[in-house]
Amino acid sequence: MNKCILILFFLASSCFAGGVEKGMQALDAKDYAAAYQEFTEAAAQGNAEAQYQMAMLVLELENDGPAAKELLLKAAEQNHAKAQTQLGLIYRFPSDYGLDSKPDDEKYALKWIRKAAEQAEPQAQYRLGTIYSWGDGVAENENKAMKWYRKAAEQGNADAQYRVAEDYYVTDKNYKQAAKWYRRAAEQDHASSQVELGEMYTAGKGVAKSYSEAAYWYNKASLVKDSYEDYVVRENLADLASQGNVDAQAALGWMYLKGRGTVDPSYRLAKSYFNKAAEQGSAEGQMGLGIIYQYGLAGTKKHDEAKKLFYKAAEQKNIKSYVEIGKIFLAGQGEAKNDKQALYWLGKAAEHGNAEAMYILGNMHGKGRGVPKSDKAAAEWILKAAEKGSIEAQYRIAAMYFNGQGVAKSEKQAFKWFYKAAEQGAASAQTAVGWMYDRGTGIPISSKAAFYWFKKAAVQGNRDALNWLHQTAEKGNMQSQYLLGNMYSNGQILSINEKESQKWFYKAAEQGHSRAKERVRHTPE
């Protein structure tokens, strides 16, 4: 009898493990519907990995902190280190996950993060280091903090590597070791480490002095999204640029052209820095100045001058210049349209992995420009561009999968690519993701996830998302009601309308929305 029970237990465990494996394969393929199904079934039977993966899906896709916390607790109690780490973070920063803070949160955060750290989970080791650094729920102890930072750093945690580098730099004055650890973190796009490494190259501390290397790392830091280092990067690059460093001049040109980070766009300053770099023969400077002239960003358009600059940059194998030359031939700017030449230059750029070139080539195949018209070939090029991170391409290939244009119709694939574009902030894609969650198209129905994505699109002014908010608010969705109350109150998206604002706050308050109750000043007529 016992032998039969053991056999049945083994078969059941194998079945659930198989479900997790299938779930991971679906997750890798961004097939969230299949991942949900596999993880849900295995999680319900107590599989810790499935519970953890399901929790992370719930956090990422639905922004549902309470549901994720419940799943993480089940996995953490089975000694799942990553689940313990994430659970500890939820206890430590409850408001980030839509939860109210409680008196015992610090105690539980320490408990679960310590358990994971003792299992050598690097993120937990780093977080335990920060707990000792700040004295959160424990006595402040920098020695213990550094012990855990070093353990995490050795396993590749970039934040911990930065802390170790700081310790070598400030405490030990060992600049070579500091540079070593800053570099390890910098290579993982850790902006603060990139700035510090740039400053070490500028001063020649721990490394050979090199303004070009310094400019390289400052520019890398400027590309990190939502970095706190934008102001420092700009000032440090400006110092190098004033000394004639061509790399810094070009990097500043791009910062001002695109308004990276906290740097506001300034076409006048971009033109000035690009011009200085171009005069020294910089391909990036020539390319940037060409963009300024081509699109008239700092005054009058100068197409001929732009074209000359693009060709100069192309002679130095600047890939972006290939794209601009191809676009000139495609549009027939200053000369007859030449689709064959456009295909040549765009093809050269695509060979080097340029996403914009791939996307344009997809459009050319879809329209039959210079090649036989082919939806299939169009989809192939657009998919390549999407895989390279092009938001336009991701949205377009999603629509092609949804409609079965050039590819086999697949709502799951459509959701995958809409989601990728939505993650990058495309309001139209966020609306599409919300719509698919609302209807259960390509993904299981989730009203919380639908609201989350429609809200993201609505605050960008997307009309379809705003219409959805109004429709669901009219049907009694208190989250939509509260959001509309805010929008009519602050006037950032919708015109200020105190009557409408109070109307929606009152409706949400009637359903028990605590924040809405605080905003109600009178009963609407």
Side-chain angles (χ1 to χ4, degrees):
M1 180 69 177
N2 289 338
K3 185 176 180 181
C4 291
I5 292 172
L6 285 171
I7 291 170
L8 287 171
F9 177 78
F10 174 77
L11 290 173
S13 299
S14 299
C15 177
F16 302 142
V20 173
E21 186 178 346
K22 288 178 182 177
M24 294 303 296
Q25 290 170 353
L27 199 59
D28 289 341
K30 301 292 182 185
D31 185 349
Y32 297 113
Y36 258 102
Q37 182 178 342
E38 297 294 344
F39 290 143
T40 299
E41 291 175 4
Q45 299 300 323
N47 184 284
E49 180 64 21
Q51 289 164 345
Y52 168 71
Q53 293 296 341
M54 191 65 195
M56 299 311 290
L57 271 178
V58 167
L59 278 178
E60 182 183 355
L61 301 180
E62 301 182 24
N63 200 34
D64 190 341
K69 183 179 178 181
E70 186 179 334
L71 285 161
L72 289 167
L73 182 59
K74 291 177 180 178
E77 287 172 342
Q78 297 186 65
N79 222 27
H80 191 288
K82 288 185 177 179
Q84 291 169 340
T85 304
Q86 187 60 51
L87 182 60
L89 291 176
I90 289 177
Y91 275 116
R92 194 168 184 206
F93 308 109
S95 62
D96 290 353
Y97 299 92
L99 294 162
D100 295 327
S101 59
K102 295 180 180 178
D104 288 337
D105 281 348
E106 263 189 4
K107 180 179 75 174
Y108 286 119
L110 177 61
K111 168 189 171 179
W112 290 113
I113 289 172
R114 188 191 297 281
K115 280 180 176 289
E118 289 169 351
Q119 293 193 70
E121 212 289 311
Q123 175 69 354
Q125 292 171 335
Y126 166 70
R127 293 294 180 175
L128 189 54
T130 65
I131 286 172
Y132 278 113
S133 283
W134 291 99
D136 291 341
V138 294
E140 187 176 323
N141 189 321
E142 202 56 39
N143 288 330
K144 285 186 177 180
M146 287 310 305
K147 165 193 164 183
W148 289 107
Y149 287 147
R150 290 183 187 281
K151 285 178 178 288
E154 290 288 356
Q155 293 197 74
N157 183 281
D159 290 315
Q161 289 168 344
Y162 174 75
R163 298 284 187 173
V164 169
E166 271 192 322
D167 190 55
Y168 275 119
Y169 191 101
V170 176
T171 307
D172 297 344
K173 308 295 183 188
N174 186 333
Y175 300 128
K176 284 188 177 179
Q177 280 296 313
K180 166 189 166 182
W181 286 104
Y182 279 137
R183 187 182 302 279
R184 288 188 180 183
E187 287 170 350
Q188 297 186 66
D189 286 335
H190 191 277
S192 296
S193 296
Q194 290 167 337
V195 170
E196 296 293 343
L197 191 56
E199 290 181 346
M200 295 187 82
Y201 272 112
T202 301
K205 278 189 173 182
V207 292
K209 182 182 284 190
S210 170
Y211 290 160
S212 292
E213 278 293 309
Y216 170 79
W217 287 110
Y218 292 147
N219 188 45
K220 292 274 283 183
S222 78
L223 297 172
V224 176
K225 190 176 181 182
D226 299 327
S227 166
Y228 296 108
E229 303 290 347
D230 296 315
Y231 177 79
V232 176
V233 167
R234 182 182 63 184
E235 293 302 302
N236 289 352
L237 283 171
D239 287 342
L240 292 178
S242 68
Q243 298 176 53
N245 182 270
V246 67
D247 298 315
Q249 290 166 346
L252 272 172
W254 289 113
M255 281 189 79
Y256 280 112
L257 180 67
K258 300 192 174 188
R260 288 178 184 160
T262 58
V263 177
D264 292 329
S266 170
Y267 298 140
R268 180 184 60 80
L269 286 171
K271 179 183 177 182
S272 173
Y273 281 115
F274 282 141
N275 191 55
K276 289 175 182 178
E279 286 175 349
Q280 295 193 63
S282 161
E284 282 295 305
Q286 292 162 347
M287 175 63 200
L289 190 57
I291 292 287
I292 295 285
Y293 287 139
Q294 176 72 358
Y295 301 102
L297 300 180
T300 309
K301 291 181 180 180
K302 297 181 180 179
H303 296 312
D304 289 342
E305 189 63 30
K307 190 174 179 180
K308 288 177 186 176
L309 287 162
F310 291 146
Y311 272 111
K312 283 184 179 181
E315 287 171 3
Q316 297 188 63
K317 296 181 169 48
N318 182 280
I319 309 306
K320 289 178 286 188
S321 67
Y322 298 164
V323 179
E324 292 301 324
I325 294 170
K327 286 158 74 173
I328 287 172
F329 280 115
L330 193 62
Q333 209 167 64
E335 55 189 81
K337 291 180 181 180
N338 190 326
D339 289 348
K340 293 297 181 185
Q341 279 295 304
L343 284 168
Y344 169 76
W345 286 103
L346 292 166
K348 278 173 69 75
E351 285 172 6
H352 288 84
N354 184 278
E356 184 181 6
M358 293 171 177
Y359 182 65
I360 297 171
L361 285 170
N363 286 334
M364 291 182 74
H365 281 82
K367 295 175 181 177
R369 292 284 301 270
V371 290
K373 188 177 186 303
S374 169
D375 285 342
K376 183 175 182 293
E380 288 171 356
W381 278 112
I382 292 169
L383 180 58
K384 287 180 181 179
E387 289 169 343
K388 289 287 183 180
S390 165
I391 298 175
E392 285 182 306
Q394 289 169 347
Y395 184 84
R396 179 81 178 279
I397 197 66
M400 294 179 87
Y401 272 116
F402 191 84
N403 296 312
Q405 181 187 2
V407 290
K409 185 177 175 66
S410 170
E411 290 174 348
K412 290 180 179 179
Q413 284 294 312
F415 180 86
K416 165 186 170 178
W417 289 108
F418 278 135
Y419 188 85
K420 282 181 172 286
E423 281 186 306
Q424 295 197 67
S428 55
Q430 291 168 345
T431 300
V433 170
W435 181 88
M436 294 181 86
Y437 268 121
D438 194 39
R439 290 161 175 76
T441 303
I443 192 76
I445 286 177
S446 170
S447 58
K448 288 182 179 178
F451 176 78
Y452 175 76
W453 287 106
F454 276 121
K455 176 183 175 181
K456 277 185 166 291
V459 297
Q460 294 190 64
N462 182 276
R463 298 309 307 178
D464 290 332
L466 288 168
N467 288 339
W468 183 88
L469 284 177
H470 276 94
Q471 289 168 9
T472 51
E474 291 287 0
K475 292 177 181 177
N477 184 306
M478 72 173 177
Q479 299 297 340
S480 296
Q481 291 166 346
Y482 178 70
L483 182 57
L484 283 175
N486 269 329
M487 287 181 163
Y488 279 115
S489 176
N490 61 36
Q492 291 179 346
I493 302 299
L494 300 170
S495 299
I496 291 177
N497 187 323
E498 187 63 19
K499 184 177 178 180
E500 279 293 297
S501 173
Q502 284 297 301
K503 167 186 142 182
W504 291 116
F505 282 142
Y506 184 78
K507 284 180 177 290
E510 278 189 311
Q511 297 192 70
H513 196 291
S514 57
R515 291 182 184 175
K517 291 177 182 178
E518 295 171 3
R519 302 293 298 276
V520 173
R521 288 197 292 275
H522 56 81
T523 303
E525 297 174 4

